[in-house]
């Protein structure tokens, strides 16, 4: 794993650091004091002692500010929300740059390693109904995992994204071989077309496990997606299913691991992040 903070962009820090780096004003002394407090925690947590509690506290502070529950009037909360949005945009740009720098050979190497990690994972082995993403060019390749799901007689569900919305379903795949025959979306991902009626996971027995993509992750389970909110929205739906929320594992290149990911109220933490050195 990359050492904490190694190669990370300046925007990948506490709320005050993000705001200052991005030129977003923080007018209130109280809000500045809060930012300094968060930045101090960030600085003191860069070594091995950085724990989940401190990171969760930073996430909670940012959620409070984004909802207007932190110090200062509404305008200051608006500044913090703007800082959060800008921080996410800046971090996405940096992570996309890192991913573009990866060679195909390196992506294949890490994908093979992650496939073995997943297949040997106790949560995977005990799960029967599994949702898994079909990979984009800059994501961990999931083909071998999908083949293994079918070889073990498990049920496999894949995303079906609804355009111009944050709605996504997880629909049943009948075999690994049928993927290549599915239509391509504008993102160059195979998925069943809208009139292809299939079982949706939450309409039946729910899910035991979701294997998730993303752009960036931190060691506390915070995830930075691509800004559409598909997985956060779907996990909210899962919580209303009688089976409850499934266990979630994100699959990442080691270059996608960050010291801290900026989070908002609707960003749901992942149970576990798998990458080369995890």
């Amino acid at each position: 794993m990359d050492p904490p903070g190694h190669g990370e962009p300046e925007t990948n820090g506490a709320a005050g650091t993000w705001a200052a780096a991005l030129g977003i004003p923080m007018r209130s002394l109280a809000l500045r004091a809060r930012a300094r407090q968060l930045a101090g925690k960030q600085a003191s947590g860069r070594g091995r002692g950085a724990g989940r509690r401190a990171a969760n506290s930073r996430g909670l502070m940012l959620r409070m500010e984004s909802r207007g529950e932190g110090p200062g009037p509404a305008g200051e909360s608006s500044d913090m929300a703007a800082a959060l949005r800008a921080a996410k945009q800046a971090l996405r740009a940096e992570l996309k740059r890192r991913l573009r720098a990866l060679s195909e050979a390196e992506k294949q190497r890490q994908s093979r390693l992650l496939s073995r990690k997943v297949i040997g994972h106790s949560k995977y082995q005990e799960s029967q109904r599994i949702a898994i993403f079909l990979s984009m060019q800059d994501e961990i390749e999931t083909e071998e995992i999908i083949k293994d799901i079918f070889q073990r007689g498990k049920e496999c569900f894949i995303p079906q994204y609804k355009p111009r919305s944050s709605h996504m379903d997880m629909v049943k795949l009948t075999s690994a071989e049928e993927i290549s025959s599915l239509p391509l979306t504008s993102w160059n991902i195979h998925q069943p077309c809208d009139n292809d009626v299939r079982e949706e996971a939450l309409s039946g027995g729910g899910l035991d496990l979701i294997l998730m993509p993303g752009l960036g992750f931190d060691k506390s389970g915070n995830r930075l997606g691509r800004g559409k909110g598909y997985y956060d929205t779907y996990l909210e739906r899962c919580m209303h299913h009688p089976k409850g929320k499934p266990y979630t594992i994100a699959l990442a290149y080691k270059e996608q691991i960050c010291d801290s990911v900026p989070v908002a109220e609707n960003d749901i933490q992942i149970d576990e992040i798998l990458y080369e050195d995890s």
Side-chain angles (χ1 to χ4, degrees), residues 19-237:
L22 295 163
I24 295 169
M26 298 180 67
R27 294 186 291 269
S28 143
L29 288 176
L31 190 54
R32 291 182 190 207
R34 177 64 61 86
R36 282 197 299 270
Q37 179 187 13
L38 290 175
K41 286 184 178 181
Q42 176 73 6
S44 64
R46 287 192 180 273
R48 291 180 176 269
R52 189 181 187 99
R53 183 178 302 172
N56 287 349
S57 296
R58 291 195 297 274
L60 178 59
M61 293 287 196
L62 288 169
R63 290 184 180 99
M64 289 173 65
E65 299 293 353
S66 69
R67 295 198 302 264
E69 296 173 4
E76 290 159 356
S77 296
S78 177
D79 285 345
M80 184 60 73
L84 184 60
R85 288 192 299 271
K88 286 189 173 188
Q89 291 171 355
L91 184 54
R92 285 189 182 103
E94 167 63 16
L95 288 164
K96 288 177 181 178
R97 182 195 64 77
R98 292 187 200 179
L99 290 168
R100 285 195 299 270
L102 283 177
S103 68
E104 287 303 314
E106 177 61 13
K107 287 191 284 189
Q108 290 174 13
R109 184 190 70 79
Q110 291 193 44
S111 291
R112 288 193 296 268
L113 187 152
L114 263 291
S115 295
R116 293 195 295 270
K117 278 181 178 281
V118 170
I119 291 170
H121 197 290
S122 60
K123 289 290 186 182
Y124 172 82
Q125 293 177 357
E126 68 191 33
S127 295
Q128 181 61 29
R129 292 167 64 89
I130 299 173
I132 186 170
F133 60 98
L134 302 184
S135 309
M136 295 175 64
Q137 189 176 6
D138 59 358
E139 294 172 341
I140 290 290
E141 175 56 57
T142 58
E143 182 180 0
E144 292 305 313
I145 301 171
I146 293 171
K147 289 178 180 178
D148 189 79
I149 289 173
F150 285 101
Q151 288 170 1
R152 292 173 185 259
K154 301 175 184 288
E155 296 177 83
C156 184
F157 297 83
I158 60 172
Q160 186 180 49
Y161 304 97
K162 304 297 181 185
R164 295 176 297 279
S165 77
S166 62
H167 186 87
M168 174 183 74
D169 290 324
M170 289 292 185
V171 297
K172 194 165 188 178
L173 189 67
T174 59
S175 70
E177 291 71 31
E178 78 160 320
I179 293 174
S180 60
S181 66
L182 297 175
L184 283 170
T185 68
S186 58
W187 292 337
N188 206 33
I189 305 172
H190 289 283
Q191 76 169 29
C193 58
D194 290 342
N195 60 3
D196 185 349
V197 180
R198 296 169 180 251
E199 178 190 344
E200 205 290 319
L202 298 182
S203 67
L207 290 166
D208 302 311
L209 174 66
I210 300 181
L211 299 171
M212 298 175 59
L215 270 179
F217 310 91
D218 65 28
K219 292 178 288 185
S220 296
N222 294 313
R223 170 184 175 270
L224 182 70
R226 297 176 187 270
K228 300 293 186 182
Y230 287 119
Y231 278 89
D232 290 314
T233 303
Y234 193 78
L235 288 174
E236 288 280 0
R237 289 170 56 197

Side-chain angles (χ1 to χ4, degrees), residues 219-259:
K219 292 178 288 185
S220 296
N222 294 313
R223 170 184 175 270
L224 182 70
R226 297 176 187 270
K228 300 293 186 182
Y230 287 119
Y231 278 89
D232 290 314
T233 303
Y234 193 78
L235 288 174
E236 288 280 0
R237 289 170 56 197
C238 288
M239 293 175 188
H240 297 289
H241 189 275
K243 197 168 191 174
K245 175 182 167 292
Y247 194 79
T248 52
I249 299 177
L251 307 182
Y253 296 111
K254 63 182 179 180
E255 289 77 10
Q256 294 176 275
I257 304 304
C258 305
D259 184 35

